[in-house]
DNA sequence: AATGAATGAGAGTTCATTCAT
DNA sequence: GATGAATGAACTCTCATTCAT
């Protein structure tokens, strides 16, 4: 509600090789400072100093502090989304629900492994002005889920609601694990459990016949 | 990793009546500024001005900026936790799982209704240095859940893991709803759905007998 | 045409004696720096340093650099206008034209003696953004002249035009003298000459030899 | 008093055709920026960008920012003075005073029509460091006037003073009109009036009724 | 002749915080 | 207990100018 968002589009594309290196150094330094000192300690001077470039060079490529972080997020997301691509393809093929969920959960976990600390700062500290507009909106994600789930979630009374719950839950559990209990990401039981959580939520009954209704065995 | 956390304990308890009023005015102004301008726009001078007190008075009661926000969080949590008390008592009585869950979910929803915008800033913008140490740690909450769930979650292979998933999911879904889709909090289907989500996750089998296996009907 | 004018109203009135002294020191330093280094060399840090106060103190009383200069102009004008008051009263009494003119010229000269160098910077170097809106507009001055001259300037074909010429000439000659030939201000012949210039311009007749002694008809 | 004036002589004459075009583009852009953004907004980077040339190219022809503006003034004056040449020739022929004055006034008006906005910036905003040394000094102009007026201004007690007043008045009235009331320049009455002003000032007699129509004696 | 890249120096401005009354 | 005044330390961002190609 507060301050108007300043323009964050990069100022000038580096064309020479040297300049590309400069921009990379700046962004790498920015990531470091952001993780190390948080948004409050993220000052352009610090970034420039750490990058070993003059502060004015920084401003030749980024119009302001926010733009730096936005570009950082853009690149982070680009890297993170790689695994999600494959999962989305699987979803389109519509195998069984547990199989689909497993793919997505694993993609989400992979996503969170990329740079968990950076991810944490992005989600937990940035003011609105420094948040990158997401390339895919939550609403779009939910619509996508609705289409995918439609054949499977016959027993779900409100599909839109379920899509919302699904999106939030999926992300929250993995995000929190990545931030607070990173070791969980490596345990197969964790992934299994998340799949179970979502699978049972969506396919409400008749419940899996057998005692250990794991997604794996379904 | 970041900067060392400064002491945030309030500086001196106001004893006279006038002083109590001063402190209240300061905190109210602080909440307003925080919601309105975000953490970045939250400056002690602004707070003092809005509160109508001199900046030096502010520093007589709060040793620094962070302390202000910490106290704000303390009071917010105190208000929020009221409903949770009752729920905890119910849990101790150990009725059926869905009943227990419904109580907790409803308490959590009530909690998020208290001051959603303030809540959002607390969770999404504060730097570590301004975050209040929670009065109950996540680990404690999870241990509590383990004790509570023990009789019900027989089919759950890893109770500690389940407690983690439960805690995170419960909070995330309601928190996100409160922040992004506040109207959801008023829909009974929403609460129902969250109960279903958790109930089916914890009681993995045999599944509810009938077609619309809502918690409500269990 | 360029940049929008920033707000230049002073930020906060000093109430304690100490603060009044601070503000005075700042303004005095500002005048010094402005005269010494011109608008381009007029930096708030320099001013604060010269005034012996912290830069933040400066900003507590003036919202920005321009405001400082605007206040300087305000005070300068206030001082300068003192003599003009008397002259205006004389004009209202409507003695003979030369007498009136002499009063005004002398007041204008006095005005330009106040702080000629400062005056020069004000008129010759300030960007629009730092120019104080005049308390009396040129148009108003001209309207005043028209009223005053009406009984005397019977032979003047276009009184509005004459008021414009009068205003500009009067100011320019004295201003230029003050800036480039300050010694002129002390010579009575100078004042006499300016009076002659304006008097003969306004009282055109009996014109030299012919009625409408226009160059054209000469 | 201010900062030492840096050398402003152009750095190197463009010899190739391409280079001439470059210099012209730079100067044209400079004029645009100066008029549009004022001296304060006049930055070499902006000029280079607008000119479509690299900043380094700009510095190949101009040693610094001031030099740019100085060259701009040089060219402006060259263009402006064209009409004045003719007038000067007329003056040398010594026709009647009103005729001479009319020529000069008209030349001055034409001069001010060339690029009034640029002219305004030159006279009202440039710091000393960026002001071009005039090719003809004020003193020279005044000496010239003295020679010209000598046969006509017999009644003028101090010819040097009159030359000063004449020079200043002539310029100021037309300059102010050009800046603040441009429509005046097109009205013949305006020119007439200025001629009358100067003519009557210089040819004092036969004075209106009395010999030395001084205010003093009135 | 021309350009992309780089930079030292500094400008304006804010802020958390303390002191003196 | 409360206030007006004051300040050290940064911070963001710009600019004139130069270097390497």
């Amino acid at each position: 509600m507060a301050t108007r968002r300043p323009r964050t589009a990069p100022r000038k594309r580096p064309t020479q090789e040297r300049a590309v290196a400069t921009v990379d150094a700046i962004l790498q330094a920015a990531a470091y400072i952001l993780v190390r000192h948080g948004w409050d300690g993220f000052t352009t001077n610090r970034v420039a100093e750490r990058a070993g470039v003059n502060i004015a060079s920084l401003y030749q490529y980024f119009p302001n502090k926010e733009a730096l972080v936005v570009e950082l997020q853009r690149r982070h997301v680009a890297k993170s989304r790689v695994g999600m691509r494959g999962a989305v393809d699987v979803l389109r093929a519509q195998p069984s629900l547990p199989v689909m969920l497993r793919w997505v959960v694993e993609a989400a976990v992979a996503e969170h492994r990329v740079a968990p600390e950076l991810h944490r700062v992005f989600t937990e500290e940035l003011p609105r002005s420094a948040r990158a507009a997401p390339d895919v909106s939550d609403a779009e994600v939910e619509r996508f889920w609705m289409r995918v789930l439609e054949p499977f979630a016959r027993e779900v009374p409100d599909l839109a609601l379920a899509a919302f719950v699904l999106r939030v839950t999926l992300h929250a559990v993995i995000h929190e694990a990545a931030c607070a209990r990173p070791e969980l990401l490596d345990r197969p039981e964790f992934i299994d459990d998340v799949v179970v959580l979502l699978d049972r939520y969506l396919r409400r009954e008749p419940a899996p016949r057998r005692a250990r209704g794991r997604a794996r065995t379904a």
Side-chain angles (χ1 to χ4, degrees), chain A residues 33-141:
Chain A
I33 300 292
L34 198 51
V35 166
R36 183 90 196 275
H37 299 277
W39 169 253
D40 272 30
F42 180 78
T43 79
T44 51
N45 281 308
R46 262 217 260 240
V47 171
E49 190 189 15
R50 164 115 194 148
V53 309
N54 187 280
I55 178 71
S57 292
L58 189 158
Y59 276 93
Q60 230 167 31
Y61 297 104
F62 301 94
N64 51 48
K65 191 181 155 159
E66 282 77 13
L68 208 45
V69 185
V70 166
E71 175 66 9
L72 225 43
Q73 284 168 277
R74 224 185 47 75
R75 295 194 177 195
H76 177 77
V77 168
K79 271 188 222 138
S80 303
R81 284 286 155 90
V82 172
M84 204 45 96
R85 296 278 153 69
V88 165
D89 291 344
V90 169
L91 294 205
R92 293 227 166 85
Q94 302 262 322
S96 77
L97 184 59
V99 167
M100 286 179 1
L101 289 172
R102 173 164 301 274
W103 271 93
V104 174
V105 170
E106 279 176 346
V109 166
E111 200 175 298
H112 277 81
R113 273 200 235 268
V114 169
E117 291 190 298
L118 200 51
H119 189 85
R120 191 197 66 78
V121 182
F122 287 157
T123 51
E124 295 182 21
E125 281 198 26
L126 294 191
R128 271 167 165 33
S129 63
R131 295 235 162 113
D135 51 349
V136 187
S137 78
D138 292 342
E140 285 171 312
V141 171

Side-chain angles (χ1 to χ4, degrees), chain A residues 5 18 23 26 33 41 47 51 59 68 190:
Chain A
R5 149 172 277 159
R18 182 167 56 137
V23 168
I26 291 170
I33 300 292
V47 171
Y59 276 93
L68 208 45
F190 174 67

Side-chain angles (χ1 to χ4, degrees), chain A residues 8 41 43 56 76 85 91-92 106 142 157 159 165 171 174 180 195 198 205:
Chain A
T8 55
T43 79
H76 177 77
R85 296 278 153 69
L91 294 205
R92 293 227 166 85
E106 279 176 346
E142 290 177 24
L159 199 54
V165 170
H171 180 265
I174 291 163
V195 171
L198 300 172
E205 57 69 76

Side-chain angles (χ1 to χ4, degrees), chain A residues 151-168:
Chain A
F152 301 96
R154 284 274 148 74
E155 302 300 319
V156 168
D158 183 338
L159 199 54
L161 180 57
F164 170 79
V165 170
L166 170 60
R167 173 179 69 74
V168 172

